[in-house]
Amino acid sequence: MTAVLSVQNLSVRFRLRDAIVQAVTDVSFELAPGRLLALVGESGCGKSVLAAALLGLLPGNAEVRGRVLLGEEDLSAADERTLARRVRGRRVALVPQSAATALTPVRTARSQLVETLKTLRPDVRDLDAEADRLAERVGLPPADLDRYPHELSGGMAQRVVLALALAGDPQVVLADEPTTGLDRPLVDRTVDALRELADDGRAVLLITHDLAAAERVATDVAVMYASRIVEHGPAEEVFTDPWHPYTRGLLEATPARGFRPLPGHPPDLSALPEGCAFRPRCPRRDTCTDDPAPRRVAGRMLACAHPATEEVSC
Amino acid sequence: MLSATGLVAGYGKDRPVLNGVSLTLEPGRTIGVLGPSGCGKSTLIRVLALLHKPDAGQIHLDGEPVRRFRYAAPAELRRRIGVVFQHPRASVDPRHTLRRIVAAHLPAGAAPEETDRLAEQVGLTPDLLRRRPHEVSDGQLQRACLARALGSGPRYLLCDEMTAMLDASSAAALVHLIRTRRDLGVLMVSHDADLLDACCDQTLRWHELTSTPSEAVSHGRNRAPVAGMFRE
Ligand code: SF4
């Protein structure tokens, strides 16, 4: 299927008083209906800035280059009014980081959902029936909509937030670290619900540092390091046979795969080195001299210059 | 040993969060406690760290019963117990540099090299020490919090969901650091079974703590830590 969201050579930087922070560098990817792309990486790699860029929510001092196409519309050129009235919530919806803080404590889930429906879909006649339908869609018994947020369990609150995100019937759902601090069973249920949205024909972008969650539901995965995407491909291939040394290192750091930390620290985004930013931490740096330009190899994107990179793990 | 017997504690008289909890930590062992969030794990940590007075039950620290808690707890006892919390940002002063945070629990008058030594232990480089919390990642800040906890020279280290906010590599790095300190008695509480299985000598489920101490030990799942852990 053709992409509904297409990010083309997107770069974002912030000019501060004494430094320039290069948060996103030359990022390109496409997202098609029915796919769930997990964007993974360590904290501070630029993931969240990328998410903000896709929603047109960057602060005023951001300098943006490249394009973000939503269908035919160029979001990077759209003004705030267009974004607010036609895009956010309607065509691209955000699932926020914390369900607990996203809900207003003094109103029932139903009244919040109905109000959102009223603003986003004025054509809907029977708002209550539509709210029930949305609740069922995310696996919440409609009667639970009549509860106040403090009467909802963590899992129920998560579902309400998901129903709110779906109220505008968006084509693209963007979830930015939706599982931080949740128990594993709740993490699983939350990401499973996102996968169902993809199976339903929406395009889902899941931004997360939780590799187990990403592996569970993603159809595709993009790995971000120091503001760039260094590897991107079908999730099953990348998780079973990671090519980029950073992807390998990240996977080997998970408790299930050896729990070995990567040496060193990610670079400061205001002092990125020339060439490969992973070099200081890379186990292959001594046999690698080239500057890694992103290249396509067998349906995957890879930004590593090492000749042996796309060979089966060593 | 740091041991708790029959702890009852909470934040209101009628609904205790801990109800008859017993647990023993000994130097050289890492004990994991697995439980869902909200089960009372954090309260247990606070009581063991002498930060919260239990309504009933006993804490023994190296053979001595502990009688005073919170500000009344003798500094000499508190120094023996280090704590690392889930949210590093909530447990540091945002105006301090990482160097100052790391040095916070060192004995008064400690040489600056002591701070360097602590920082090095947790893998913080000198340039990171000059930064303030907003200039580092959660993982880097949590390393500083761990270094701070080690500064008082504790025998016991209590970790409350220490890695929940962190990416895999930072989490692995922190746990690895703790595992290299074989002198410490460590308690890790978490809702992540994979994590505890990978790094603890023994993992107990939350409900197992409410039986008698000897029972709790025999019900625990004994697991050797993964061999790869100590590969540099
Ligand atoms: S380009 Fe070279 S230094 Fe960079 S990740 Fe690849 S092998 Fe390592």
Side-chain angles (χ1 to χ4, degrees), chain B residues 166-200:
Chain B
L166 309 185
D167 51 76
S169 182
S170 301
L174 282 175
V175 169
H176 185 83
L177 289 165
I178 289 175
R179 295 292 315 206
T180 56
R181 288 284 307 261
R182 300 304 297 178
D183 52 326
L184 292 172
V186 181
L187 174 65
M188 304 246 319
V189 305
S190 176
H191 60 256
D192 189 338
D194 282 349
L195 171 81
L196 295 180
D197 281 350
C199 67
C200 296

Side-chain angles (χ1 to χ4, degrees), chain A residues 80-105:
Chain A
E80 173 54 29
R81 191 179 144 90
T82 312
L83 289 167
R85 297 186 57 184
R86 293 219 325 256
V87 176
R88 282 198 292 266
R90 290 161 221 263
R91 298 179 63 198
V92 184
L94 176 72
V95 179
Q97 255 187 44
S98 155
T101 51
L103 298 171
T104 313

Side-chain angles (χ1 to χ4, degrees), chain A residues 43 182-183 209 259 261-262 265, chain B residues 37 123 140 166-167 169 191 195:
Chain A
S43 63
L182 302 182
D183 290 357
H209 68 258
F259 218 28
L262 287 155
H265 297 275
Chain B
S37 47
Q140 289 161 343
L166 309 185
D167 51 76
S169 182
H191 60 256
L195 171 81

Side-chain angles (χ1 to χ4, degrees), chain A residues 104-142:
Chain A
T104 313
V106 293
R107 295 169 51 201
T108 64
R110 179 179 300 278
S111 91
Q112 298 182 51
L113 186 52
V114 161
E115 182 178 294
T116 306
L117 276 170
K118 248 191 233 162
T119 353
L120 295 180
R121 310 228 323 262
D123 54 305
V124 173
R125 293 235 186 87
D126 191 343
L127 290 163
D128 268 315
E130 181 61 15
D132 287 351
R133 198 190 62 81
L134 282 170
E136 269 166 19
R137 178 66 205 78
V138 297
L140 185 77

Side-chain angles (χ1 to χ4, degrees), chain B residues 50 53-54 57-61 63-70 72-74 77:
Chain B
L50 315 185
K53 188 171 167 38
Q58 277 280 318
I59 303 263
H60 281 83
L61 179 55
E64 300 282 323
V66 176
R67 300 213 165 76
R68 286 180 299 165
F69 289 81
R70 307 192 61 218
L77 296 189

Side-chain angles (χ1 to χ4, degrees), chain B residues 7-11 13 18 43 46-57 59 66-72:
Chain B
L7 285 185
V8 178
Y11 302 91
K13 276 271 179 277
L18 307 182
T43 309
R46 294 183 60 79
V47 175
L48 288 174
L50 315 185
L51 296 170
H52 183 103
K53 188 171 167 38
D55 299 321
I59 303 263
V66 176
R67 300 213 165 76
R68 286 180 299 165
F69 289 81
R70 307 192 61 218
Y71 301 110

